[in-house]
Amino acid sequence: MAQVLAICGSLRKGSFNRQLMNASISLAPEGMTIKEAPSFASFPLYNFDDQQATGIPAAVTALGEAIRSADGVLICSPEYNWSIPSGLKNAIDWLSRMKEVPFIGKPVCIQSAAPGLLGGSRMQYHLRMSLQSIDAQLFGKPEVIVNLAAAKFADGALKDQAALDLIKQQLASFGEFIKRVRK
Ligand code: FNR
């Protein structure tokens, strides 16, 4: 059984990406469970001086340990100004300073949703680079990029059948990827 930890890159109530994450949680294939990660909302802005003075905050350790004990990580995030939202990037920066970096060797799968045509794809590219720098194992294809999001979500849930089918395919392939990485 693969246990996957899901991180939402948006802190917004009514976030499309949270709804995307919830769709993935409910579509987890046989042999996989997906649960939401502890929040990074309370992480202070990363500052090396603060880290030296007071160490790694408890909330960072909580997320780091949850990542460490998971078999894989799913990140569902919006794109801000063509890149990674600052809250999520700040979380990665803190996690990268833990004594044993929890992302090392960890299978990671990315999804995004955005109202625009590119659906957060530029964020996905930047997130791949950032996670590669701390030796995560990035899952490749199929990619889940939910563009034109305003038309695909309703009543707090993802309704687009093509996107839902793609999520199922991606999670099934991610499950196989986790098995390959584990070997
Ligand atoms: C955005 N948005 C956005 N969308 C996009 O496709 N590319 C971008 O570069 C940006 N930049 C951007 C910057 C900032 C500061 C905000 C607040 C928004 C729009 C964004 O995709 C939209 O607000 C989504 O609904 C955000 O995702 P959640 O919160 O719905 O998950």
Side-chain angles (χ1 to χ4, degrees), residues 17 20 24 74-77 79 108-113 118-129 138-147 152 158 160-174:
N17 286 279
L20 178 60
S24 294
L74 170 67
I75 301 180
C76 306
S77 178
E79 174 179 297
V108 179
C109 180
I110 302 173
Q111 300 179 350
S112 60
L118 296 184
S121 50
R122 290 164 294 208
M123 176 286 302
Q124 292 209 15
Y125 187 59
H126 287 187
L127 187 55
R128 277 178 187 282
M129 288 195 290
L138 277 304
F139 171 78
K141 297 191 292 286
E143 297 168 290
V144 170
I145 298 167
V146 183
N147 68 351
K152 296 181 181 173
L158 177 61
D160 186 76
Q161 196 54 50
L164 293 165
D165 291 344
L166 193 58
I167 289 169
K168 281 188 211 161
Q169 287 172 33
Q170 188 198 46
L171 294 177
S173 299
F174 185 48

Side-chain angles (χ1 to χ4, degrees), residues 10 12 14-18 78-82 113-116 120 122:
S10 174
R12 182 175 87 85
S15 155
F16 290 133
N17 286 279
R18 175 165 297 281
E79 174 179 297
Y80 280 1
N81 299 312
W82 292 14
R122 290 164 294 208

